[in-house]
Amino acid sequence: MKLAATLVLSPLLLATSLAASAGEVEFVGADNSIATQLCVAVGTNHRLTLIKELTEHRISRSIVANKLTCNDMPVPQFAKKFGLHKTAGLLNIDFTTDTSITDIAMNDNTQTIVISGSR
């Protein structure tokens, strides 16, 4: 009985997760600077992409979290604004002090945002 329930629920959960990611924000770099590349990596919300950029440019996580600005916002504010929980977790940014609700059903299309890093 548990196997049957698992087989029935698995495709449903997969479809739900795919639908939730369909309306994500796409970040495009305004230039090819290191700061912009790091901001785009934070914007991917993918830990391995951010780790690769940090390693490639030999920059520590704390420098990115405390010194880098993306679109004139500190990285913690940038990550919170766009709900980048995975990369924020990697950078030790805590979201527990602020609560917000995002209606993912309203996100019908992909939004493109141009990013520029600090100079």
Side-chain angles (χ1 to χ4, degrees), residues 17-52:
S17 67
L18 290 176
S21 65
E24 290 183 8
V25 175
E26 178 186 358
F27 295 103
V28 178
D31 55 23
N32 201 20
S33 69
I34 294 173
T36 300
Q37 290 174 12
L38 290 168
C39 288
V40 171
V42 170
T44 63
N45 203 28
H46 190 256
R47 292 174 188 232
L48 292 177
T49 303
L50 181 56
I51 290 171
K52 179 182 171 226

Side-chain angles (χ1 to χ4, degrees), residues 2-20:
K2 288 182 182 181
L3 179 61
T6 303
L7 291 176
V8 170
L9 291 176
S10 294
L12 179 64
L13 292 174
L14 178 62
T16 304
S17 67
L18 290 176

Side-chain angles (χ1 to χ4, degrees), residues 1-106:
M1 185 67 174
K2 288 182 182 181
L3 179 61
T6 303
L7 291 176
V8 170
L9 291 176
S10 294
L12 179 64
L13 292 174
L14 178 62
T16 304
S17 67
L18 290 176
S21 65
E24 290 183 8
V25 175
E26 178 186 358
F27 295 103
V28 178
D31 55 23
N32 201 20
S33 69
I34 294 173
T36 300
Q37 290 174 12
L38 290 168
C39 288
V40 171
V42 170
T44 63
N45 203 28
H46 190 256
R47 292 174 188 232
L48 292 177
T49 303
L50 181 56
I51 290 171
K52 179 182 171 226
E53 286 295 324
L54 292 171
T55 305
E56 181 178 324
H57 299 296
R58 296 182 181 165
I59 297 177
S60 70
R61 297 175 190 182
S62 63
I63 294 293
V64 171
N66 298 323
K67 303 285 185 184
L68 181 67
T69 60
C70 300
N71 285 4
D72 298 325
M73 291 181 276
V75 170
Q77 182 183 356
F78 178 77
K80 188 177 287 187
K81 179 177 180 177
F82 294 106
L84 306 171
H85 296 286
K86 292 178 184 176
T87 50
L90 182 69
L91 296 172
N92 294 323
I93 298 170
D94 186 17
F95 284 167
T96 58
T97 58
D98 194 337
T99 303
S100 66
I101 299 172
T102 304
D103 186 4
I104 61 172
M106 295 300 293

